[in-house]
Amino acid sequence: MSLSVTENVRKTVLENGLTVLTKQVKTAPVVSVQVWYQIGSRDEAPGVNGIAHQLEHMLFKGTTSRPIQFGRLFSALGSDSNAFTSYDQTAYFGTVERGLMESLLELEADRMQNALINAEQLTSEKRVVISELQGYENSPDYRLGREVMRAALPNSPYGLTIGGSKADVAKFTVEQVKSYYRNYYSPKNATLIIVGDFEPDATLAKVKEIFGKVLNAQEKIVKPQTTATKPETGTKQPIVLKEPGAASLLQTVYPLVDINHPDAPILDVLNSILTEGRNSRLYQALIESGLASNMNGYAATLAGGGWYNLEITAAPGQELAKIDTVLLDAIALLSEKGVTDDELNRAKTQLKASVLLNNRDIASQAMQIGYDQTTAGDYRFTDRYLAAIDKVSLKDVQRVAANYLAPDKRTVGLFEPTKQNGEASPGGNPTQMTENFSPGAPVDPAEVAKYLPKVDPAIPTPKALPEQFTLTNGVKVLLLPDDSTPTVTLSGFIKAGAEFDTQPKAGLAALTAENLLSGTKTKDDLALAKALEDRGASLNFRALREGVDINGYSLKTDLPVVLETLADVVQNSTFPSDEIELSRQRALTSLDLELDDPARVARRVFQQTIYPTNHPFHTFPTQESLKSLSREDVVSFYQKQYRPDQMVLTLVGDFESKQVRSLLEKALNDWKAEGKTPVANYPDVPDSKKVVQLNPSLPGKTQSVTYIGDRGISRKDPRFYAALVLNQIVGGDTLSSRLGTELRDRQGLTYGIYSYFSAGRQAGPFVVSMQTDSEDANKAISSVRALLAQIHDKGVNKEEVAAAIRSLTRGYNVGLANPDELANTIRLNEVYGLGKDELSSFSAKIEAVTLEDVNKAAKELLQSDKFAIVTAGGNTAK
């Protein structure tokens, strides 16, 4: 089995210095186009911290030749497009149907040289960036991490935050941003990556035609010298933050080497042994002991240095000092005594499997190539890395642990909450807002089309439909073989979700799902975990409202182990009392964190405002309900709800259908459904008579999150396809929708605003969600209501409908090239009773939507005089 990610990669350097990396992958009719620039927060200093990130935002504002929000152009192409800024690079990426590749190339070449950066747009986008940064500020772990990194890497730009600070961003001038653009955005400082279904020679000729004429900046790029920070030795006092929050946190950072240092792969092996999976050293020492509710770690090795980061969330009532002592003891034991062959082999297997599992789709393969080229300076880095992993020895792991994780090299941060937010209080219903607001004219799709490069007509590609069968006990199985990578994706469903919770026992479905892997009649939790972890495979269960999601991944050779484990736990879980208790403590911590998160609080209060108290969508866990749950409750729920006739399994990947069917029939043959099928109670939802506005207050939050909406529709509602087109126009994409154009682009009030219909088996809500400065919340709410009222009263136009249909159908085809999305779509089509043919007929149903259908849906579903409006965060009531 080849582990190479650079097989078929072709490197070309144009005369102007642009590095071009192409990889032909003909597994799906899509192409990913990415441009990576060697500019990130590493190229900054205090005073201009965040300018690379600000510049990334500006690259969406248009060019001198295309003075239009580029998000609208990407949406018109159905492109799955975005961008990110990191420590070493800024990347712009999009994935489209293969016939649209040239359009993406044209757009990326345009903004490489012609970005429109002026005072008006910079002022607006600085507000957006500050909103984004303040959203991060709402999180205690972000604030703690910022202080710890500054102290751990005091002389390195890696100690700065990627997004910068509000103070620095507020001071950026047009000339500063333009200077960074001229300095860094040029061919010799960029890498173009193209991966997917294209003809290499013809594509390279087109790249030379489009990008070959892009000139390099006249200014010479001067990069600051970044070297690994030499740690100060000796005991340092921990950084202590005492601020409002929900849970006690501990973070520790150790300086490390750069990505090309021979110790870098060994450090990843060390991290896997310490933190990856139930059998890892720190999981056992901290989570299984009940000291912590969450723990994670990673080794960051970048172009100019790195660090090792460990983050731990304390369990209720546990002291950070005790957690830190256990942490130090566990690392010291590893440093002094080393690790076992079993641990070393498991870590190696996990790391090698993760490379294949993380590169199953075309966009991810392009990302891997781009990261390797711009961070390690070599697109073949991952191949060298995998070879190095194979050579790691027991002595290597012990050596790097002793060398890099010595106690005197670490910087420690402690977050001690001073005030904990309790159960979400709806807050008062303020007086009706009186400000008048007139939304700007919608963007004319013809204006967007004017700036689009030539688009080749799409050639319809028939979609393979899954094989479908039902086992004798009622389990429904859908199989779609695909040998493009030697991996398998499992997406499953059991109708045992939170819809069966009652308020006194809210949280029961989640507690049951979390403990399925805590032990069976023949294997304890460690044996179950070991069977998967030793192969780098995974299997997870998560209870949502309408059911339990099952997600699994493995190399093709390990699929039998995943399916055998799945079959074992759905039939034979034993739910040990001690594991139930540990899970309850973790759930209590999670609840505390949820009630300190404006987005989670807003969603909770929003749904409880729309749905009556006896409705499943109204029910959320509380401290009292979680504490009341017993092992007997869990066992009873499991026995009643986990039934074969309520399960759907979908597999996409490299397997033989006959073998999978035989394995499933054997493993699940004895599982029988008994008694009546449980049915959740969904009472009628009364129509809202007026606007209800609530403001749950969360002290210490500078950014608020608002939910606006009402009861929506189910997935089988005949209006669903029209509603999807309507939503695409209203708020389906922050950068291209009416809401995004108005509130983000024109007014700069929000970093992100979206709308969506939560259309499942039941009628979930229609939601507009947005993040704003608390002082801007009421202005933003007025804007949203006015815009939705405008669409309700006047409708949309046929050009908008046509553009939305093109965007949705093109985006649907792109999405199905990702095995995760493909498996999930097949599964949900079955869960919703749509049939396997929906996979291929969905686009035709969207294309059949008319202007009249959309405007009728707007009249019926966007009744803004009946909306629930919930804003959680700082006090916004006037």
Side-chain angles (χ1 to χ4, degrees):
M1 183 187 304
S2 172
L3 285 177
S4 174
V5 296
T6 57
E7 196 173 357
N8 298 329
V9 174
R10 180 174 171 183
K11 180 178 180 181
T12 306
V13 180
L14 303 190
E15 289 184 6
N16 58 10
L18 178 69
T19 298
V20 183
L21 299 170
T22 59
K23 181 180 181 181
Q24 185 185 39
V25 182
K26 299 180 77 69
T27 57
V30 302
V31 180
S32 188
V33 173
Q34 305 186 3
V35 180
W36 292 58
Y37 296 93
Q38 304 231 215
I39 170 180
S41 58
R42 179 193 176 196
D43 303 295
E44 299 170 354
V48 290
N49 183 206
I51 198 165
H53 176 239
Q54 181 72 62
L55 185 52
E56 174 219 315
H57 277 244
M58 299 306 297
L59 264 286
F60 283 88
K61 303 296 282 187
T63 64
T64 52
S65 52
R66 292 182 175 89
I68 188 172
Q69 163 60 254
F70 263 44
R72 295 182 201 124
L73 300 175
F74 296 135
S75 178
L77 296 172
S79 177
D80 183 5
S81 291
N82 213 323
F84 69 81
T85 305
S86 190
Y87 295 98
D88 290 334
Q89 62 275 112
T90 303
Y92 301 83
F93 50 93
T95 304
V96 291
E97 294 175 328
R98 60 187 168 201
L100 304 175
M101 176 190 67
E102 186 177 333
S103 298
L104 281 189
L105 294 174
E106 291 271 10
L107 293 174
E108 292 299 349
D110 188 13
R111 63 177 174 177
M112 180 180 283
Q113 59 188 326
N114 301 316
L116 193 60
I117 301 171
N118 60 38
E120 181 184 0
Q121 290 184 333
L122 180 59
T123 298
S124 170
E125 203 62 24
K126 284 200 296 187
R127 291 189 69 186
V128 171
V129 169
I130 288 170
S131 171
E132 179 182 359
L133 295 178
Q134 288 182 324
Y136 301 146
E137 291 271 357
N138 278 350
S139 170
D141 57 347
Y142 173 83
R143 303 198 300 270
L144 180 64
R146 179 181 55 195
E147 301 304 317
V148 173
M149 286 292 287
R150 281 176 182 166
L153 306 174
N155 303 313
S156 168
Y158 289 142
L160 302 173
T161 57
I162 293 171
S165 68
K166 178 180 177 181
D168 280 2
V169 171
K171 291 184 293 186
F172 292 155
T173 66
V174 170
E175 189 47 48
Q176 279 180 311
V177 177
K178 280 185 174 180
S179 177
Y180 260 75
Y181 177 63
R182 289 192 298 265
N183 249 328
Y184 292 99
Y185 279 68
S186 58
K188 63 186 177 185
N189 199 47
T191 301
L192 170 65
I193 298 123
I194 307 172
V195 176
D197 188 4
F198 60 88
E199 294 306 318
D201 291 338
T203 296
L204 190 57
K206 184 58 67 175
V207 166
K208 289 177 179 177
E209 176 189 329
I210 294 171
F211 282 90
K213 57 193 176 189
V214 180
L215 300 177
N216 280 295
Q218 295 301 309
E219 300 177 34
K220 183 179 179 182
I221 297 173
V222 180
K223 286 180 171 285
Q225 294 299 309
T226 306
T227 56
T229 302
K230 293 182 179 179
E232 300 174 9
T233 56
T235 304
K236 291 181 279 187
Q237 291 297 314
I239 295 162
V240 180
L241 295 187
K242 295 185 177 182
E243 299 172 355
S248 297
L249 309 173
L250 184 150
Q251 182 175 2
T252 182
V253 169
Y254 304 79
L256 295 183
V257 293
D258 65 77
I259 191 170
N260 285 308
H261 193 285
D263 284 346
I266 307 169
L267 288 161
D268 282 343
V269 173
L270 170 62
N271 177 62
S272 286
I273 292 169
L274 283 173
T275 68
E276 291 298 317
R278 208 159 186 156
N279 283 280
S280 66
R281 294 282 184 100
L282 294 183
Y283 190 98
Q284 287 299 305
L286 297 171
I287 307 296
E288 281 296 312
S289 67
L291 288 173
S293 64
N294 192 34
M295 170 278 305
N296 65 75
Y298 64 88
T301 49
L302 305 179
W307 61 92
Y308 186 58
N309 183 79
L310 286 167
E311 298 177 7
I312 300 160
T313 304
Q318 297 294 341
E319 295 294 327
L320 291 176
K322 183 177 180 181
I323 290 172
D324 195 31
T325 298
V326 172
L327 174 64
L328 284 169
D329 288 347
I331 293 174
L333 179 64
L334 190 153
S335 300
E336 293 164 9
K337 304 292 186 182
V339 300
T340 66
D341 284 322
D342 195 40
E343 287 177 308
L344 178 63
N345 292 333
R346 181 185 308 124
K348 288 183 176 185
T349 301
Q350 287 173 337
L351 289 168
K352 289 188 291 185
S354 71
V355 169
L356 280 178
L357 292 169
N358 291 335
N359 284 284
R360 288 168 297 138
D361 66 286
I362 286 166
S364 295
Q365 292 175 47
M367 281 280 179
Q368 184 72 66
I369 294 167
Y371 179 83
D372 289 350
Q373 178 67 26
T374 57
T375 306
D378 182 3
Y379 70 91
R380 296 160 298 192
F381 169 78
T382 293
D383 291 347
R384 292 193 284 109
Y385 170 85
L386 291 169
I389 291 291
D390 268 335
K391 297 175 183 176
V392 174
S393 69
L394 295 171
K395 287 184 178 179
D396 288 333
V397 177
Q398 186 175 2
R399 174 180 60 80
V400 299
N403 184 28
Y404 295 102
L405 304 190
D408 62 351
K409 294 182 179 179
R410 71 184 193 141
T411 301
V412 179
L414 309 175
F415 180 84
E416 299 174 355
T418 57
K419 181 178 180 181
Q420 199 164 314
N421 292 311
E423 292 295 328
S425 170
N429 193 359
T431 57
Q432 196 75 3
M433 292 174 293
T434 57
E435 42 189 320
N436 293 317
F437 174 77
S438 298
V443 176
D444 184 356
E447 184 77 2
V448 176
K450 182 171 74 174
Y451 295 115
L452 274 177
K454 182 172 72 76
V455 174
D456 290 340
I459 301 172
T461 303
K463 291 181 176 63
L465 295 181
E467 174 189 349
Q468 184 171 357
F469 57 88
T470 302
L471 302 183
T472 55
N473 58 7
V475 176
K476 294 178 180 177
V477 183
L478 298 105
L479 304 177
L480 189 58
D482 174 8
D483 62 1
S484 58
T485 66
T487 64
V488 182
T489 301
L490 165 68
S491 180
F493 172 89
I494 302 177
K495 197 167 180 286
E499 65 183 0
F500 291 105
D501 284 354
T502 61
Q503 187 53 64
K505 297 290 183 182
L508 179 56
L511 192 65
T512 306
E514 186 183 346
N515 280 279
L516 289 170
L517 288 161
S518 292
T520 65
K521 294 174 183 176
T522 57
K523 295 179 180 177
D524 63 16
D525 59 332
L526 293 182
L528 288 169
K530 188 175 187 300
L532 297 167
E533 291 168 7
D534 282 357
R535 294 163 173 83
S538 66
L539 180 64
N540 297 292
F541 299 85
R542 185 167 67 115
L544 302 177
R545 191 72 59 175
E546 293 189 338
V548 174
D549 271 3
I550 308 168
N551 291 294
Y553 308 96
S554 75
L555 302 182
K556 69 173 185 178
T557 51
D558 301 319
L559 177 59
V561 175
V562 174
L563 294 180
E564 286 160 7
T565 303
L566 169 65
D568 191 14
V569 300
V570 296
Q571 297 175 84
N572 303 312
S573 283
T574 53
F575 303 102
S577 296
D578 56 344
E579 293 296 331
I580 294 286
E581 187 54 40
L582 288 172
S583 295
R584 184 208 316 280
Q585 295 305 313
R586 291 195 292 270
L588 288 166
T589 302
S590 295
L591 177 60
D592 289 340
L593 293 169
E594 178 180 326
L595 296 177
D596 190 54
D597 180 344
R600 302 292 294 274
V601 170
R603 182 65 191 240
R604 176 183 284 235
V605 175
F606 173 77
Q607 287 199 187
Q608 291 181 332
T609 302
I610 293 173
Y611 296 97
T613 55
N614 59 342
H615 195 285
F617 287 7
H618 185 100
T619 302
F620 287 83
T622 64
Q623 293 276 341
E624 291 72 25
S625 70
L626 291 174
K627 289 176 180 177
S628 76
L629 300 177
S630 66
R631 178 180 179 276
E632 289 70 28
D633 292 328
V634 171
V635 171
S636 175
F637 187 88
Y638 173 71
Q639 292 172 342
K640 183 179 179 181
Q641 305 296 156
Y642 281 72
R643 302 163 53 101
D645 58 353
Q646 298 298 296
M647 177 185 264
V648 174
L649 292 178
T650 299
L651 290 166
V652 173
D654 194 359
F655 54 79
E656 294 291 334
S657 296
K658 287 183 179 179
Q659 292 178 349
V660 170
R661 181 167 188 164
S662 174
L663 197 157
L664 287 173
E665 287 176 341
K666 179 181 177 183
L668 295 170
N669 183 58
D670 294 333
W671 191 25
K672 307 295 182 186
E674 298 179 0
K676 288 186 177 181
T677 303
V679 178
N681 175 42
Y682 280 88
D684 291 337
V685 180
D687 288 335
S688 177
K689 303 298 183 186
K690 62 178 182 179
V691 170
V692 178
Q693 186 175 354
L694 302 169
N695 296 96
S697 180
L698 298 175
K701 307 299 181 186
T702 57
Q703 286 281 294
S704 294
V705 174
T706 299
Y707 276 73
I708 303 174
D710 195 5
R711 180 186 52 167
I713 57 175
S714 72
R715 178 62 177 84
K716 295 188 79 172
D717 190 297
R719 298 170 293 182
F720 173 78
Y721 302 97
L724 211 55
V725 175
L726 170 66
N727 184 71
Q728 183 68 14
I729 297 167
V730 171
D733 184 317
T734 287
L735 297 181
S736 64
S737 64
R738 289 243 200 140
L739 286 171
T741 298
E742 189 60 57
L743 277 90
R744 176 170 166 149
D745 266 7
R746 194 163 84 88
Q747 300 188 59
L749 291 176
T750 178
Y751 166 61
I753 181 166
Y754 303 91
S755 67
Y756 53 92
F757 286 89
S758 295
R761 287 186 294 108
Q762 303 295 327
F766 165 72
V767 178
V768 175
S769 66
M770 60 182 172
Q771 170 189 302
T772 63
D773 187 292
S774 297
E775 294 183 357
D776 289 336
N778 281 336
K779 182 179 179 182
I781 291 167
S782 290
S783 302
V784 171
R785 291 188 61 198
L787 193 148
L788 294 179
Q790 180 190 69
I791 295 174
H792 172 274
D793 295 341
K794 299 180 180 179
V796 298
N797 61 51
K798 64 180 181 180
E799 290 80 13
E800 286 182 296
V801 170
I805 288 173
R806 283 195 301 272
S807 179
L808 287 168
T809 53
R810 289 170 175 171
Y812 178 73
N813 293 332
V814 169
L816 293 186
N818 183 319
D820 282 348
E821 193 155 341
L822 177 58
N824 192 51
T825 300
I826 293 170
R827 171 180 66 93
L828 288 177
N829 287 344
E830 179 59 36
V831 169
Y832 296 150
L834 302 170
K836 68 177 185 179
D837 291 343
E838 178 71 10
L839 191 69
S840 59
S841 63
F842 174 86
S843 293
K845 292 175 181 177
I846 290 291
E847 289 168 349
V849 171
T850 65
L851 173 65
E852 291 71 26
D853 294 334
V854 175
N855 285 334
K856 182 172 183 288
K859 285 284 187 189
E860 295 173 357
L861 301 173
L862 301 184
Q863 300 187 40
S864 60
D865 58 342
K866 298 179 180 180
F867 281 164
I869 303 171
V870 177
T871 301
N875 189 359
T876 62
K878 297 281 180 82

